Amino acid sequence: MLEQLFGSRTRLKLLRLFLTHPQEQYFVREISRRVEEQLNSVRRELANLEKLTVIQTVTSNKKRYYRLNTKCVLYPELKALIMKARLVIEEDLLQKLKRAGSIQYLVLTGIFVGQDDAKSDMLIIGRINRQKLTPLIKRLQENFDRAIRYTVMSRQEYDYRRDVTDRFLFDILENKKVTLIDALHKVTDNGTDARS
């Protein structure tokens, strides 16, 4: 969607990289590796973004680095546009995942909520066709600057891990997340968990 709006896949990848990591600075080869685009294409788009004052260069130890110019007039609008595009992507993903199986619980965490160090970006609990899931994840990865880490559990595995206070599971459940489906934790009228 945004690729058509911006007219360049590389430019869009660069904007995503800089807008989702506003405090970071990168040298050109590192950017090329992170966005998985040719060096010449990256250099051309960096020059375009620099002319628009969206990014700026910093020289340190005779090396040239690029970083987001948070004082740019376009910064708030570009950041909002990237975030809104992610919401559209998430809604589209939800609809496609629902057709891939029977999902009882689906949360987005990690890169979806700005926590790059999370152990998983998506937790799916239920029965899902992995042959349908894999291409969905691959298409979703095209909208981000790195691989999407996802975890699929059956209801039985989830219940067991919850009962033994599994650290991996509780890291996901207790940290920042966006819950898209929750049929596990429905509360009954008397205030108790209706866990089947």
Side-chain angles (χ1 to χ4, degrees), residues 30-108:
E30 180 183 11
I31 294 169
S32 179
R33 279 193 305 272
R34 290 198 62 159
V35 299
E36 297 179 345
E37 293 291 338
Q38 296 293 321
L39 197 55
N40 288 339
S41 177
V42 168
R43 282 191 174 122
R44 181 175 51 252
E45 293 304 337
L46 285 171
N48 289 334
L49 292 173
E50 196 170 15
K51 283 179 196 170
L52 294 169
T53 71
V54 173
I55 62 169
Q56 58 191 13
T57 57
V58 179
T59 306
S60 175
N61 297 330
K62 298 182 182 180
K63 283 190 176 182
R64 188 175 187 181
Y65 294 91
Y66 294 88
R67 72 175 179 205
L68 183 68
N69 179 7
T70 55
K71 293 185 172 102
C72 172
V73 181
L74 298 173
Y75 170 64
E77 285 79 12
L78 287 171
K79 184 168 179 136
L81 185 61
I82 294 294
M83 292 304 135
K84 286 176 184 174
R86 280 192 171 178
L87 290 175
V88 170
I89 290 164
E90 290 164 13
E91 183 60 34
D92 183 52
L93 171 69
L94 177 59
Q95 297 310 315
K96 289 176 179 168
L97 283 173
K98 282 181 177 179
R99 292 191 294 267
S102 173
I103 299 173
Q104 295 176 294
Y105 190 64
L106 170 63
V107 293
L108 303 178

Side-chain angles (χ1 to χ4, degrees), residues 19-34:
L19 289 165
T20 55
H21 303 91
Q23 306 304 318
E24 300 293 324
Q25 57 185 29
Y26 307 97
F27 58 92
V28 72
R29 289 189 188 281
E30 180 183 11
I31 294 169
S32 179
R33 279 193 305 272
R34 290 198 62 159

Side-chain angles (χ1 to χ4, degrees), residues 100 128-135 150-153:
I128 193 155
N129 183 328
R130 289 185 188 253
Q131 290 178 327
K132 290 182 180 177
L133 178 64
T134 303
Y150 63 96
T151 305
V152 178
M153 291 182 195

